[in-house]
Amino acid sequence: FCSSADHIPHLSAEGVPSSCAAIMASNQVAPITEVPGDSKTGVQGLAKTASMKAKLRNFQLLAFRQSNTWKRISKCALFLHVCIYFVIGIVGFKFAEEDEEWTYTDGLYFTMMTMSTVGYGDISPSSVGTRVFTLFMIFWGIIFIFPSIAAAIAPVAAPVQERIQEWLERKFPATKVDIDGDGDADYSVPRAPAIFYFKQLSPSLFLNVGLQLVFAGIFVAIEENWNYFDAVYHCLVTATTVGYGDQTIETQEGRLWASVHMAVSVCLLGEMISRIDDARNKRKAELARVEQLRRRLDEQLLERLQQRAAELRPQVDHSGGLSELEFVLCMVLELEMLELGQLRPFIKQFRALDINGQGSLDADDLHLHKTLSEDQIASMRSNNFASRAWSKP
């Protein structure tokens, strides 16, 4: 196996073994040998070699995709994609427009309007060819480019929002509850709705308003006919993507600054709007969790948890009560933190890994996985599943 696998091209990525020997050493794979004169054994050896080659390639590809190199390549590819979009937009709009002479800044300005869906209407395509090109840029920008820009801007704004959030948490702390009296808080009770939503939404609101005031000040410095109120009005209309176009940007510098303003403002406002639903769902989940944690054991709760346990493992007798782990899993399902369909595959995985059928994973199972062939493991699994009372999840 080692001699044949050495010819497999290896991907050079951080954390990926670069030689067959490293793979065998890390997984303790015994080399495959053929018995002279035994064709059946030789065929089996070749089949196992091909199987191990495929596993090695899959392992290398998976490890490469999880490496820092792959992440850097992905970021560079996204950046290149955005650059290509804007280059095509700037050059295309400049030379495709026939009735008016557009500058490169006008091309950038209109490309950003198209992608961000603002659409002031102060400049627009006039020819059929330019309009067809505009439709192409609209769908390309909205579907692929705008999400990439939003994803790049969000991490830049996150540290500021986190600082504001931490300050608000100190000023308006939630009530801490210690269940077992060990001195450590086990959960928090949300504050009144007004305070809760104020804490959740204020970081984005303060950041958006502050940036709009800064952008407005720069617009006043660039556009001579604007006063500060006109600039603030324009910035807020732009951030909501309404874009009336009643405040006309006359200068090339203003259109260049407006391109930056559209990208930042629309992305941050979208993030703030998404926080509203996130805050609503968070409050709902926290209140449900508090209600369950404060609940005393009664017939209704016990019956409901036993029903959940029966759904998890229908062949198990739960008349003797619930174990600690079963209680935790059933409460997680009851609070809808996870769905039953998300847990069942892991139950099946556990039973597939538990080769000796003892109901636990230990050193014996590890030894069997290393020493037995796949056919032998499959045979033991089928025998164990047939003998277990809980064989079907």
Side-chain angles (χ1 to χ4, degrees):
F1 165 70
C2 187
S3 60
S4 59
D6 280 339
H7 299 287
I8 301 174
H10 294 280
L11 301 173
S12 59
E14 298 175 18
V16 181
S18 58
S19 67
C20 176
I23 296 293
M24 293 179 62
S26 61
N27 294 280
Q28 299 182 4
V29 178
I32 299 173
T33 57
E34 297 185 15
V35 178
D38 192 341
S39 61
K40 181 178 179 180
T41 304
V43 171
Q44 290 177 345
L46 291 175
K48 289 183 178 180
T49 300
S51 175
M52 292 303 296
K53 285 182 180 180
K55 290 180 179 179
L56 178 59
R57 291 191 185 98
N58 291 336
F59 169 78
Q60 290 175 325
L61 183 59
L62 178 61
F64 178 66
R65 287 179 176 176
Q66 294 176 347
S67 66
N68 293 329
T69 302
W70 174 260
K71 293 177 181 178
R72 287 194 292 268
I73 291 175
S74 299
K75 290 180 180 179
C76 291
L78 288 175
F79 177 75
L80 181 62
H81 185 198
V82 173
C83 291
I84 290 173
Y85 174 81
F86 279 101
V87 168
I88 292 176
I90 293 169
V91 176
F93 284 121
K94 174 176 171 54
F95 292 102
E97 187 58 33
E98 300 174 354
D99 296 345
E100 298 181 25
E101 183 67 25
W102 283 18
T103 65
Y104 288 113
T105 301
D106 293 335
L108 172 63
Y109 177 64
F110 190 75
T111 302
M112 188 63 72
M113 274 198 295
T114 301
M115 182 208 68
S116 61
T117 71
V118 173
Y120 293 128
D122 50 352
I123 60 174
S124 59
S126 57
S127 65
V128 175
T130 309
R131 289 175 178 176
V132 172
F133 178 67
T134 300
L135 292 175
F136 170 73
M137 295 296 289
I138 287 172
F139 290 104
W140 185 10
I142 294 175
I143 296 174
F144 299 106
I145 304 303
F146 185 74
S148 299
I149 294 179
I153 292 177
V156 178
V160 179
Q161 294 174 331
E162 290 173 0
R163 291 287 184 87
I164 300 175
Q165 187 78 52
E166 292 172 359
W167 181 81
L168 290 172
E169 289 293 342
R170 290 195 300 268
K171 294 297 180 180
F172 305 97
T175 303
K176 306 293 185 181
V177 178
D178 182 5
I179 295 178
D180 52 6
D182 62 354
D184 295 327
D186 296 300
Y187 67 93
S188 302
V189 180
R191 298 289 296 267
I195 298 178
F196 177 84
Y197 286 112
F198 175 76
K199 288 166 56 178
Q200 297 298 316
L201 302 180
S202 290
S204 291
L205 180 62
F206 291 159
L207 181 61
N208 273 276
V209 171
L211 283 176
Q212 298 311 317
L213 296 178
V214 173
F215 276 112
I218 298 177
F219 272 120
V220 171
I222 296 175
E223 298 293 323
E224 295 180 356
N225 298 327
W226 286 21
N227 57 42
Y228 192 69
F229 175 78
D230 293 337
V232 171
Y233 168 78
H234 168 82
C235 289
L236 294 178
V237 169
T238 299
T240 57
T241 72
V242 175
Y244 293 123
D246 49 348
Q247 289 294 125
T248 304
I249 302 176
E250 301 290 348
T251 65
Q252 292 291 292
E253 293 81 3
R255 290 181 176 180
L256 186 62
W257 181 244
S259 300
V260 178
H261 174 244
M262 282 185 278
V264 174
S265 299
V266 173
C267 292
L268 290 182
L269 185 71
E271 186 271 340
M272 187 180 73
I273 293 174
S274 68
R275 273 182 173 254
I276 298 175
D277 280 338
D278 292 343
R280 186 184 299 114
N281 294 331
K282 180 179 180 180
R283 181 172 179 80
K284 179 181 177 182
E286 288 185 359
L287 290 176
R289 182 167 174 262
V290 169
E291 181 183 1
Q292 292 291 355
L293 288 170
R294 287 178 170 178
R295 187 173 180 179
R296 292 180 176 273
L297 184 63
D298 53 30
E299 292 82 359
Q300 183 180 3
L301 176 60
L302 183 59
E303 181 180 357
R304 182 62 181 164
L305 294 178
Q306 287 178 333
Q307 290 176 355
R308 288 288 190 179
E311 292 174 357
L312 274 174
R313 298 194 297 174
Q315 301 300 324
V316 175
D317 182 12
H318 297 285
S319 59
L322 300 175
S323 66
E324 182 180 27
L325 183 57
E326 286 176 328
F327 172 80
V328 171
L329 288 176
C330 292
M331 290 300 291
V332 167
L333 292 173
E334 193 71 13
L335 291 172
E336 298 181 350
M337 298 169 66
L338 289 174
E339 297 179 359
L340 185 61
Q342 295 175 296
L343 292 177
R344 274 184 171 161
F346 292 102
I347 297 176
K348 291 183 179 182
Q349 182 188 26
F350 172 83
R351 296 176 183 176
L353 296 176
D354 181 23
I355 300 178
N356 58 19
Q358 299 298 317
S360 62
L361 295 180
D362 51 25
D364 292 337
D365 293 300
L366 180 62
H367 177 72
L368 292 174
H369 274 283
K370 290 182 176 181
T371 57
L372 297 182
S373 66
E374 293 185 3
D375 292 338
Q376 291 173 318
I377 292 176
S379 177
M380 289 191 66
R381 283 174 182 162
S382 62
N383 293 333
N384 290 333
F385 284 176
S387 62
R388 289 170 179 166
W390 42 270
S391 60
K392 183 179 179 181

